[in-house]
Amino acid sequence: MDLTLTEEHNNIKEAAREFAQRVLKPGVIERDTKGEYPVEGVRQMKEMGFIGMTVSEKYGGGGMDMISYVLVMEEISKIDSSSSVILSAHNSLVCWGIEAFGSEDQKQRYLTKLATGDYMGAFCLSEPEAGSDATSQKTMATDQGDHYLLNGTKNWITNGSTADIYVVIAQTDIEKGHRGINAFIVEADSQGVSTGPKEDKLGIRSSDTCSVMFQDVKVPKENRIGPDGFGFKYAMKTLDGGRIGIASQALGIAAGAYELALAYSHERKSFGKPINQHQAVAFKLADMMVDIECARLLTLTAAKQKDLSLPYSLMAAMAKLKTSEVAMKHTVEAVQIHGGYGFVKEYHVERLMRDAKITQIYEGTSEIQKLVIARSIMKK
Ligand code: CAA
């Protein structure tokens, strides 16, 4: 598969890198400490066209391919993964599904605003008792003729309190199992919608994560996405693409930690020479580079498969599994290379290490990725 980057790809990568350094880097430590939402960063991501970058131009988006998306996600995640998850949840989990499976009316009413960032979106699947086991939805959408009545609680929702619209996965007919699940577009200002307090997290501390509660919320019939009973498959297909987004986030975290460790290893001297002249450090840097390059190839391959409309579910799961493991392993190594300095906030690597952990958990834990991969192997 040809993964050569075009001039356009290189330009967007450079623009994202420059943006992350100029806009997101100042204040990233303070936002992380305070758990403060990156208001200005998100405003400027809208101006840069990153919010809604994967939506086609027909609906007012950037019309960019998945390779561009991976490059932008990687560069932003090197500096600020809280900002990149906001971007990823919006593009991968909300915009893509509506464009792929929504009605023309839904696209005109919602996607056009999501594409420009006038609306932010959140994807509501996880529940207090339904995380990995996504078929065990307790949130109910009861058919009332011209509308559904939605009741339930969703947990760990990225963009939970800042979103203007939610894509909510809910049970409509418990007897039918996964075929009795549907996906709905719910306006955040609908009567009966409320949000919990912002979660106080280990990492990605400045992104907005909270519970979203629905109590007797009227959802118009025309806001159901796709045919009756399509909601579980909708969620699975959406997560396949989401996993490419999280893989690129993990890639950025790993590559960011590597860049910092490499730079530090040139500056810091011990026993009379730069620390990278000691094999103990040089070998760590070599391992980092190899693993990051493997992770990058998997992630770009999954993106390319999606761009070419080839099946990408397996490659996305492999990319997410590998990159998140690489991110976790090598952010720990980057801290180690920094020694005591790595343990303090000023040097950034401790934050990257904390941020890495969530990439092994959300949009399917590492164990879920292995399940998807193993099932695919058994089918062959
Ligand atoms: N694409 C299309 N259809 C799919 C599919 C896919 N990728 N995966 C499964 N399906 C279909 C199956 O074909 C099957 O359909 P049929 O019965 O018609 O054949 C149906 O869905 C049920 O499939 P399974 O029997 O495989 O379902 P399962 O209950 O065993 O679950 C699972 C499979 C992989 C474990 C799935 O539940 C899963 O991915 N769980 C993890 C959920 C997850 O990622 N949660 C994270 C929440 S989102 C988040 O983190 C958001 C955020 O804010 C960042």
Side-chain angles (χ1 to χ4, degrees), residues 94-127:
V94 178
C95 296
W96 179 79
I98 297 178
E99 179 153 8
F101 303 108
S103 65
E104 191 52 35
D105 168 60
Q106 289 166 354
K107 292 178 198 176
Q108 292 302 336
R109 277 191 296 139
Y110 300 112
L111 188 61
T112 51
K113 296 194 175 78
L114 290 161
T116 54
D118 287 346
Y119 277 2
M120 289 302 289
F123 179 70
C124 302
L125 171 68
S126 299
E127 297 189 355

PDB file of all heavy atoms in Angstrom, residues 94-127:
ATOM      1  N   VAL A  94     -18.795  11.687  15.773  1.00  0.00           N
ATOM      2  CA  VAL A  94     -20.067  12.383  15.531  1.00  0.00           C
ATOM      3  C   VAL A  94     -20.245  12.693  14.041  1.00  0.00           C
ATOM      4  O   VAL A  94     -21.186  12.207  13.404  1.00  0.00           O
ATOM      5  CB  VAL A  94     -20.170  13.667  16.395  1.00  0.00           C
ATOM      6  CG1 VAL A  94     -21.474  14.414  16.107  1.00  0.00           C
ATOM      7  CG2 VAL A  94     -20.080  13.304  17.882  1.00  0.00           C
ATOM      8  N   CYS A  95     -19.316  13.482  13.483  1.00  0.00           N
ATOM      9  CA  CYS A  95     -19.512  13.919  12.085  1.00  0.00           C
ATOM     10  C   CYS A  95     -19.550  12.742  11.112  1.00  0.00           C
ATOM     11  O   CYS A  95     -20.416  12.676  10.230  1.00  0.00           O
ATOM     12  CB  CYS A  95     -18.385  14.867  11.666  1.00  0.00           C
ATOM     13  SG  CYS A  95     -18.375  16.394  12.592  1.00  0.00           S
ATOM     14  N   TRP A  96     -18.592  11.825  11.265  1.00  0.00           N
ATOM     15  CA  TRP A  96     -18.481  10.755  10.265  1.00  0.00           C
ATOM     16  C   TRP A  96     -19.776   9.947  10.164  1.00  0.00           C
ATOM     17  O   TRP A  96     -20.285   9.704   9.064  1.00  0.00           O
ATOM     18  CB  TRP A  96     -17.302   9.816  10.578  1.00  0.00           C
ATOM     19  CG  TRP A  96     -17.238   8.715   9.554  1.00  0.00           C
ATOM     20  CD1 TRP A  96     -16.727   8.809   8.291  1.00  0.00           C
ATOM     21  CD2 TRP A  96     -17.782   7.397   9.682  1.00  0.00           C
ATOM     22  NE1 TRP A  96     -16.905   7.612   7.627  1.00  0.00           N
ATOM     23  CE2 TRP A  96     -17.545   6.730   8.449  1.00  0.00           C
ATOM     24  CE3 TRP A  96     -18.437   6.704  10.699  1.00  0.00           C
ATOM     25  CZ2 TRP A  96     -17.945   5.415   8.222  1.00  0.00           C
ATOM     26  CZ3 TRP A  96     -18.826   5.392  10.469  1.00  0.00           C
ATOM     27  CH2 TRP A  96     -18.578   4.762   9.240  1.00  0.00           C
ATOM     28  N   GLY A  97     -20.304   9.533  11.313  1.00  0.00           N
ATOM     29  CA  GLY A  97     -21.491   8.675  11.311  1.00  0.00           C
ATOM     30  C   GLY A  97     -22.695   9.370  10.699  1.00  0.00           C
ATOM     31  O   GLY A  97     -23.470   8.755   9.948  1.00  0.00           O
ATOM     32  N   ILE A  98     -22.849  10.656  11.015  1.00  0.00           N
ATOM     33  CA  ILE A  98     -24.007  11.384  10.466  1.00  0.00           C
ATOM     34  C   ILE A  98     -23.850  11.505   8.948  1.00  0.00           C
ATOM     35  O   ILE A  98     -24.806  11.313   8.199  1.00  0.00           O
ATOM     36  CB  ILE A  98     -24.179  12.761  11.149  1.00  0.00           C
ATOM     37  CG1 ILE A  98     -24.472  12.564  12.644  1.00  0.00           C
ATOM     38  CG2 ILE A  98     -25.299  13.564  10.481  1.00  0.00           C
ATOM     39  CD1 ILE A  98     -24.604  13.855  13.446  1.00  0.00           C
ATOM     40  N   GLU A  99     -22.634  11.783   8.513  1.00  0.00           N
ATOM     41  CA  GLU A  99     -22.440  11.892   7.058  1.00  0.00           C
ATOM     42  C   GLU A  99     -22.637  10.536   6.368  1.00  0.00           C
ATOM     43  O   GLU A  99     -23.243  10.447   5.294  1.00  0.00           O
ATOM     44  CB  GLU A  99     -21.040  12.451   6.717  1.00  0.00           C
ATOM     45  CG  GLU A  99     -20.843  12.546   5.210  1.00  0.00           C
ATOM     46  CD  GLU A  99     -19.865  13.603   4.760  1.00  0.00           C
ATOM     47  OE1 GLU A  99     -19.176  14.207   5.608  1.00  0.00           O
ATOM     48  OE2 GLU A  99     -19.804  13.829   3.528  1.00  0.00           O
ATOM     49  N   ALA A 100     -22.143   9.463   7.004  1.00  0.00           N
ATOM     50  CA  ALA A 100     -22.220   8.142   6.357  1.00  0.00           C
ATOM     51  C   ALA A 100     -23.637   7.561   6.380  1.00  0.00           C
ATOM     52  O   ALA A 100     -24.064   6.918   5.421  1.00  0.00           O
ATOM     53  CB  ALA A 100     -21.251   7.184   7.038  1.00  0.00           C
ATOM     54  N   PHE A 101     -24.376   7.791   7.451  1.00  0.00           N
ATOM     55  CA  PHE A 101     -25.656   7.076   7.612  1.00  0.00           C
ATOM     56  C   PHE A 101     -26.860   7.976   7.875  1.00  0.00           C
ATOM     57  O   PHE A 101     -27.987   7.484   7.945  1.00  0.00           O
ATOM     58  CB  PHE A 101     -25.539   6.055   8.765  1.00  0.00           C
ATOM     59  CG  PHE A 101     -24.426   5.069   8.570  1.00  0.00           C
ATOM     60  CD1 PHE A 101     -23.270   5.132   9.350  1.00  0.00           C
ATOM     61  CD2 PHE A 101     -24.508   4.092   7.590  1.00  0.00           C
ATOM     62  CE1 PHE A 101     -22.222   4.232   9.155  1.00  0.00           C
ATOM     63  CE2 PHE A 101     -23.468   3.187   7.394  1.00  0.00           C
ATOM     64  CZ  PHE A 101     -22.319   3.261   8.174  1.00  0.00           C
ATOM     65  N   GLY A 102     -26.625   9.275   8.086  1.00  0.00           N
ATOM     66  CA  GLY A 102     -27.744  10.171   8.391  1.00  0.00           C
ATOM     67  C   GLY A 102     -28.579  10.481   7.158  1.00  0.00           C
ATOM     68  O   GLY A 102     -28.148  10.261   6.019  1.00  0.00           O
ATOM     69  N   SER A 103     -29.790  10.994   7.409  1.00  0.00           N
ATOM     70  CA  SER A 103     -30.648  11.411   6.291  1.00  0.00           C
ATOM     71  C   SER A 103     -30.163  12.765   5.777  1.00  0.00           C
ATOM     72  O   SER A 103     -29.425  13.475   6.474  1.00  0.00           O
ATOM     73  CB  SER A 103     -32.096  11.527   6.777  1.00  0.00           C
ATOM     74  OG  SER A 103     -32.177  12.581   7.731  1.00  0.00           O
ATOM     75  N   GLU A 104     -30.615  13.128   4.595  1.00  0.00           N
ATOM     76  CA  GLU A 104     -30.214  14.431   4.034  1.00  0.00           C
ATOM     77  C   GLU A 104     -30.684  15.562   4.960  1.00  0.00           C
ATOM     78  O   GLU A 104     -29.950  16.536   5.187  1.00  0.00           O
ATOM     79  CB  GLU A 104     -30.804  14.583   2.616  1.00  0.00           C
ATOM     80  CG  GLU A 104     -30.263  15.746   1.818  1.00  0.00           C
ATOM     81  CD  GLU A 104     -28.727  15.796   1.734  1.00  0.00           C
ATOM     82  OE1 GLU A 104     -28.069  14.737   1.669  1.00  0.00           O
ATOM     83  OE2 GLU A 104     -28.192  16.924   1.757  1.00  0.00           O
ATOM     84  N   ASP A 105     -31.869  15.377   5.531  1.00  0.00           N
ATOM     85  CA  ASP A 105     -32.404  16.385   6.458  1.00  0.00           C
ATOM     86  C   ASP A 105     -31.479  16.515   7.691  1.00  0.00           C
ATOM     87  O   ASP A 105     -31.172  17.631   8.129  1.00  0.00           O
ATOM     88  CB  ASP A 105     -33.825  15.945   6.862  1.00  0.00           C
ATOM     89  CG  ASP A 105     -34.349  16.749   8.029  1.00  0.00           C
ATOM     90  OD1 ASP A 105     -34.456  17.978   7.880  1.00  0.00           O
ATOM     91  OD2 ASP A 105     -34.627  16.153   9.099  1.00  0.00           O
ATOM     92  N   GLN A 106     -31.033  15.400   8.237  1.00  0.00           N
ATOM     93  CA  GLN A 106     -30.112  15.441   9.402  1.00  0.00           C
ATOM     94  C   GLN A 106     -28.798  16.125   9.022  1.00  0.00           C
ATOM     95  O   GLN A 106     -28.229  16.894   9.798  1.00  0.00           O
ATOM     96  CB  GLN A 106     -29.835  14.017   9.915  1.00  0.00           C
ATOM     97  CG  GLN A 106     -31.024  13.390  10.606  1.00  0.00           C
ATOM     98  CD  GLN A 106     -30.872  11.880  10.801  1.00  0.00           C
ATOM     99  OE1 GLN A 106     -29.921  11.257  10.325  1.00  0.00           O
ATOM    100  NE2 GLN A 106     -31.826  11.284  11.499  1.00  0.00           N
ATOM    101  N   LYS A 107     -28.343  15.844   7.813  1.00  0.00           N
ATOM    102  CA  LYS A 107     -27.085  16.459   7.377  1.00  0.00           C
ATOM    103  C   LYS A 107     -27.245  17.974   7.251  1.00  0.00           C
ATOM    104  O   LYS A 107     -26.367  18.732   7.658  1.00  0.00           O
ATOM    105  CB  LYS A 107     -26.623  15.842   6.055  1.00  0.00           C
ATOM    106  CG  LYS A 107     -26.192  14.386   6.212  1.00  0.00           C
ATOM    107  CD  LYS A 107     -25.799  13.780   4.884  1.00  0.00           C
ATOM    108  CE  LYS A 107     -25.801  12.264   4.992  1.00  0.00           C
ATOM    109  NZ  LYS A 107     -25.528  11.579   3.750  1.00  0.00           N
ATOM    110  N   GLN A 108     -28.391  18.376   6.674  1.00  0.00           N
ATOM    111  CA  GLN A 108     -28.597  19.816   6.508  1.00  0.00           C
ATOM    112  C   GLN A 108     -28.777  20.501   7.863  1.00  0.00           C
ATOM    113  O   GLN A 108     -28.252  21.591   8.096  1.00  0.00           O
ATOM    114  CB  GLN A 108     -29.834  20.096   5.621  1.00  0.00           C
ATOM    115  CG  GLN A 108     -29.666  19.687   4.170  1.00  0.00           C
ATOM    116  CD  GLN A 108     -28.480  20.375   3.481  1.00  0.00           C
ATOM    117  OE1 GLN A 108     -28.044  21.446   3.882  1.00  0.00           O
ATOM    118  NE2 GLN A 108     -27.927  19.731   2.456  1.00  0.00           N
ATOM    119  N   ARG A 109     -29.509  19.850   8.756  1.00  0.00           N
ATOM    120  CA  ARG A 109     -29.790  20.492  10.055  1.00  0.00           C
ATOM    121  C   ARG A 109     -28.599  20.472  11.004  1.00  0.00           C
ATOM    122  O   ARG A 109     -28.398  21.406  11.766  1.00  0.00           O
ATOM    123  CB  ARG A 109     -30.992  19.807  10.731  1.00  0.00           C
ATOM    124  CG  ARG A 109     -32.333  20.328  10.215  1.00  0.00           C
ATOM    125  CD  ARG A 109     -33.484  19.850  11.064  1.00  0.00           C
ATOM    126  NE  ARG A 109     -33.627  18.407  11.017  1.00  0.00           N
ATOM    127  CZ  ARG A 109     -33.913  17.645  12.064  1.00  0.00           C
ATOM    128  NH1 ARG A 109     -34.092  18.189  13.250  1.00  0.00           N
ATOM    129  NH2 ARG A 109     -34.047  16.332  11.941  1.00  0.00           N
ATOM    130  N   TYR A 110     -27.819  19.396  10.981  1.00  0.00           N
ATOM    131  CA  TYR A 110     -26.766  19.246  11.992  1.00  0.00           C
ATOM    132  C   TYR A 110     -25.339  19.218  11.423  1.00  0.00           C
ATOM    133  O   TYR A 110     -24.467  19.897  11.937  1.00  0.00           O
ATOM    134  CB  TYR A 110     -27.011  17.973  12.823  1.00  0.00           C
ATOM    135  CG  TYR A 110     -28.332  18.006  13.547  1.00  0.00           C
ATOM    136  CD1 TYR A 110     -29.378  17.152  13.200  1.00  0.00           C
ATOM    137  CD2 TYR A 110     -28.547  18.918  14.584  1.00  0.00           C
ATOM    138  CE1 TYR A 110     -30.600  17.199  13.863  1.00  0.00           C
ATOM    139  CE2 TYR A 110     -29.773  18.972  15.254  1.00  0.00           C
ATOM    140  CZ  TYR A 110     -30.784  18.104  14.884  1.00  0.00           C
ATOM    141  OH  TYR A 110     -31.987  18.161  15.535  1.00  0.00           O
ATOM    142  N   LEU A 111     -25.159  18.407  10.366  1.00  0.00           N
ATOM    143  CA  LEU A 111     -23.779  18.219   9.892  1.00  0.00           C
ATOM    144  C   LEU A 111     -23.169  19.531   9.384  1.00  0.00           C
ATOM    145  O   LEU A 111     -21.983  19.802   9.607  1.00  0.00           O
ATOM    146  CB  LEU A 111     -23.748  17.149   8.788  1.00  0.00           C
ATOM    147  CG  LEU A 111     -22.353  16.721   8.352  1.00  0.00           C
ATOM    148  CD1 LEU A 111     -21.559  16.101   9.512  1.00  0.00           C
ATOM    149  CD2 LEU A 111     -22.431  15.734   7.181  1.00  0.00           C
ATOM    150  N   THR A 112     -23.972  20.353   8.733  1.00  0.00           N
ATOM    151  CA  THR A 112     -23.445  21.618   8.206  1.00  0.00           C
ATOM    152  C   THR A 112     -22.913  22.492   9.351  1.00  0.00           C
ATOM    153  O   THR A 112     -21.914  23.193   9.181  1.00  0.00           O
ATOM    154  CB  THR A 112     -24.534  22.377   7.427  1.00  0.00           C
ATOM    155  OG1 THR A 112     -25.696  22.446   8.264  1.00  0.00           O
ATOM    156  CG2 THR A 112     -24.898  21.689   6.125  1.00  0.00           C
ATOM    157  N   LYS A 113     -23.551  22.425  10.505  1.00  0.00           N
ATOM    158  CA  LYS A 113     -23.086  23.234  11.653  1.00  0.00           C
ATOM    159  C   LYS A 113     -21.915  22.550  12.367  1.00  0.00           C
ATOM    160  O   LYS A 113     -21.011  23.212  12.868  1.00  0.00           O
ATOM    161  CB  LYS A 113     -24.232  23.472  12.632  1.00  0.00           C
ATOM    162  CG  LYS A 113     -25.365  24.308  12.034  1.00  0.00           C
ATOM    163  CD  LYS A 113     -26.297  24.797  13.127  1.00  0.00           C
ATOM    164  CE  LYS A 113     -27.363  25.737  12.592  1.00  0.00           C
ATOM    165  NZ  LYS A 113     -28.468  25.042  11.908  1.00  0.00           N
ATOM    166  N   LEU A 114     -21.940  21.223  12.389  1.00  0.00           N
ATOM    167  CA  LEU A 114     -20.814  20.485  12.989  1.00  0.00           C
ATOM    168  C   LEU A 114     -19.547  20.677  12.147  1.00  0.00           C
ATOM    169  O   LEU A 114     -18.434  20.742  12.669  1.00  0.00           O
ATOM    170  CB  LEU A 114     -21.136  18.987  13.074  1.00  0.00           C
ATOM    171  CG  LEU A 114     -22.219  18.587  14.087  1.00  0.00           C
ATOM    172  CD1 LEU A 114     -22.768  17.197  13.762  1.00  0.00           C
ATOM    173  CD2 LEU A 114     -21.679  18.624  15.514  1.00  0.00           C
ATOM    174  N   ALA A 115     -19.744  20.781  10.844  1.00  0.00           N
ATOM    175  CA  ALA A 115     -18.603  20.894   9.928  1.00  0.00           C
ATOM    176  C   ALA A 115     -17.811  22.178  10.162  1.00  0.00           C
ATOM    177  O   ALA A 115     -16.590  22.196  10.019  1.00  0.00           O
ATOM    178  CB  ALA A 115     -19.100  20.852   8.484  1.00  0.00           C
ATOM    179  N   THR A 116     -18.500  23.229  10.546  1.00  0.00           N
ATOM    180  CA  THR A 116     -17.818  24.521  10.735  1.00  0.00           C
ATOM    181  C   THR A 116     -17.426  24.742  12.190  1.00  0.00           C
ATOM    182  O   THR A 116     -16.728  25.701  12.518  1.00  0.00           O
ATOM    183  CB  THR A 116     -18.760  25.666  10.336  1.00  0.00           C
ATOM    184  OG1 THR A 116     -19.982  25.497  11.094  1.00  0.00           O
ATOM    185  CG2 THR A 116     -19.067  25.658   8.860  1.00  0.00           C
ATOM    186  N   GLY A 117     -17.921  23.889  13.072  1.00  0.00           N
ATOM    187  CA  GLY A 117     -17.642  24.080  14.495  1.00  0.00           C
ATOM    188  C   GLY A 117     -18.659  24.997  15.163  1.00  0.00           C
ATOM    189  O   GLY A 117     -18.517  25.330  16.337  1.00  0.00           O
ATOM    190  N   ASP A 118     -19.687  25.425  14.427  1.00  0.00           N
ATOM    191  CA  ASP A 118     -20.757  26.198  15.085  1.00  0.00           C
ATOM    192  C   ASP A 118     -21.421  25.323  16.138  1.00  0.00           C
ATOM    193  O   ASP A 118     -21.892  25.803  17.160  1.00  0.00           O
ATOM    194  CB  ASP A 118     -21.815  26.644  14.064  1.00  0.00           C
ATOM    195  CG  ASP A 118     -21.293  27.756  13.187  1.00  0.00           C
ATOM    196  OD1 ASP A 118     -20.244  28.333  13.558  1.00  0.00           O
ATOM    197  OD2 ASP A 118     -21.893  28.034  12.132  1.00  0.00           O
ATOM    198  N   TYR A 119     -21.494  24.025  15.837  1.00  0.00           N
ATOM    199  CA  TYR A 119     -21.950  23.039  16.813  1.00  0.00           C
ATOM    200  C   TYR A 119     -20.775  22.127  17.157  1.00  0.00           C
ATOM    201  O   TYR A 119     -20.024  21.741  16.263  1.00  0.00           O
ATOM    202  CB  TYR A 119     -23.036  22.137  16.224  1.00  0.00           C
ATOM    203  CG  TYR A 119     -24.446  22.667  16.228  1.00  0.00           C
ATOM    204  CD1 TYR A 119     -24.755  23.940  16.703  1.00  0.00           C
ATOM    205  CD2 TYR A 119     -25.492  21.886  15.745  1.00  0.00           C
ATOM    206  CE1 TYR A 119     -26.062  24.410  16.696  1.00  0.00           C
ATOM    207  CE2 TYR A 119     -26.806  22.347  15.731  1.00  0.00           C
ATOM    208  CZ  TYR A 119     -27.076  23.610  16.206  1.00  0.00           C
ATOM    209  OH  TYR A 119     -28.363  24.053  16.185  1.00  0.00           O
ATOM    210  N   MET A 120     -20.676  21.768  18.426  1.00  0.00           N
ATOM    211  CA  MET A 120     -19.743  20.699  18.812  1.00  0.00           C
ATOM    212  C   MET A 120     -20.576  19.456  19.108  1.00  0.00           C
ATOM    213  O   MET A 120     -21.740  19.559  19.542  1.00  0.00           O
ATOM    214  CB  MET A 120     -18.931  21.094  20.041  1.00  0.00           C
ATOM    215  CG  MET A 120     -17.884  22.171  19.783  1.00  0.00           C
ATOM    216  SD  MET A 120     -16.665  21.749  18.499  1.00  0.00           S
ATOM    217  CE  MET A 120     -15.709  20.468  19.337  1.00  0.00           C
ATOM    218  N   GLY A 121     -19.976  18.292  18.888  1.00  0.00           N
ATOM    219  CA  GLY A 121     -20.720  17.051  19.072  1.00  0.00           C
ATOM    220  C   GLY A 121     -20.082  16.125  20.092  1.00  0.00           C
ATOM    221  O   GLY A 121     -18.880  16.192  20.358  1.00  0.00           O
ATOM    222  N   ALA A 122     -20.916  15.267  20.681  1.00  0.00           N
ATOM    223  CA  ALA A 122     -20.427  14.229  21.604  1.00  0.00           C
ATOM    224  C   ALA A 122     -21.139  12.921  21.284  1.00  0.00           C
ATOM    225  O   ALA A 122     -22.291  12.928  20.811  1.00  0.00           O
ATOM    226  CB  ALA A 122     -20.689  14.634  23.050  1.00  0.00           C
ATOM    227  N   PHE A 123     -20.447  11.828  21.542  1.00  0.00           N
ATOM    228  CA  PHE A 123     -20.963  10.486  21.237  1.00  0.00           C
ATOM    229  C   PHE A 123     -21.248   9.785  22.563  1.00  0.00           C
ATOM    230  O   PHE A 123     -20.340   9.616  23.384  1.00  0.00           O
ATOM    231  CB  PHE A 123     -19.882   9.733  20.452  1.00  0.00           C
ATOM    232  CG  PHE A 123     -20.218   8.325  20.054  1.00  0.00           C
ATOM    233  CD1 PHE A 123     -21.170   8.065  19.079  1.00  0.00           C
ATOM    234  CD2 PHE A 123     -19.535   7.252  20.620  1.00  0.00           C
ATOM    235  CE1 PHE A 123     -21.442   6.757  18.682  1.00  0.00           C
ATOM    236  CE2 PHE A 123     -19.794   5.944  20.231  1.00  0.00           C
ATOM    237  CZ  PHE A 123     -20.764   5.706  19.255  1.00  0.00           C
ATOM    238  N   CYS A 124     -22.494   9.401  22.753  1.00  0.00           N
ATOM    239  CA  CYS A 124     -22.895   8.862  24.059  1.00  0.00           C
ATOM    240  C   CYS A 124     -23.220   7.375  23.928  1.00  0.00           C
ATOM    241  O   CYS A 124     -24.362   7.008  23.584  1.00  0.00           O
ATOM    242  CB  CYS A 124     -24.113   9.609  24.575  1.00  0.00           C
ATOM    243  SG  CYS A 124     -23.860  11.375  24.745  1.00  0.00           S
ATOM    244  N   LEU A 125     -22.243   6.554  24.214  1.00  0.00           N
ATOM    245  CA  LEU A 125     -22.440   5.110  24.184  1.00  0.00           C
ATOM    246  C   LEU A 125     -22.276   4.514  25.585  1.00  0.00           C
ATOM    247  O   LEU A 125     -23.162   3.816  26.085  1.00  0.00           O
ATOM    248  CB  LEU A 125     -21.432   4.454  23.217  1.00  0.00           C
ATOM    249  CG  LEU A 125     -21.362   2.929  23.222  1.00  0.00           C
ATOM    250  CD1 LEU A 125     -22.652   2.318  22.667  1.00  0.00           C
ATOM    251  CD2 LEU A 125     -20.180   2.409  22.384  1.00  0.00           C
ATOM    252  N   SER A 126     -21.145   4.788  26.234  1.00  0.00           N
ATOM    253  CA  SER A 126     -20.830   4.146  27.525  1.00  0.00           C
ATOM    254  C   SER A 126     -21.840   4.515  28.599  1.00  0.00           C
ATOM    255  O   SER A 126     -22.364   5.628  28.632  1.00  0.00           O
ATOM    256  CB  SER A 126     -19.445   4.574  28.004  1.00  0.00           C
ATOM    257  OG  SER A 126     -18.488   4.183  27.077  1.00  0.00           O
ATOM    258  N   GLU A 127     -22.081   3.545  29.463  1.00  0.00           N
ATOM    259  CA  GLU A 127     -23.014   3.737  30.578  1.00  0.00           C
ATOM    260  C   GLU A 127     -22.352   3.227  31.851  1.00  0.00           C
ATOM    261  O   GLU A 127     -21.358   2.487  31.774  1.00  0.00           O
ATOM    262  CB  GLU A 127     -24.302   2.947  30.325  1.00  0.00           C
ATOM    263  CG  GLU A 127     -25.044   3.416  29.097  1.00  0.00           C
ATOM    264  CD  GLU A 127     -26.425   2.778  28.978  1.00  0.00           C
ATOM    265  OE1 GLU A 127     -26.758   1.893  29.801  1.00  0.00           O
ATOM    266  OE2 GLU A 127     -27.144   3.178  28.061  1.00  0.00           O
TER     267      GLU A 127
END
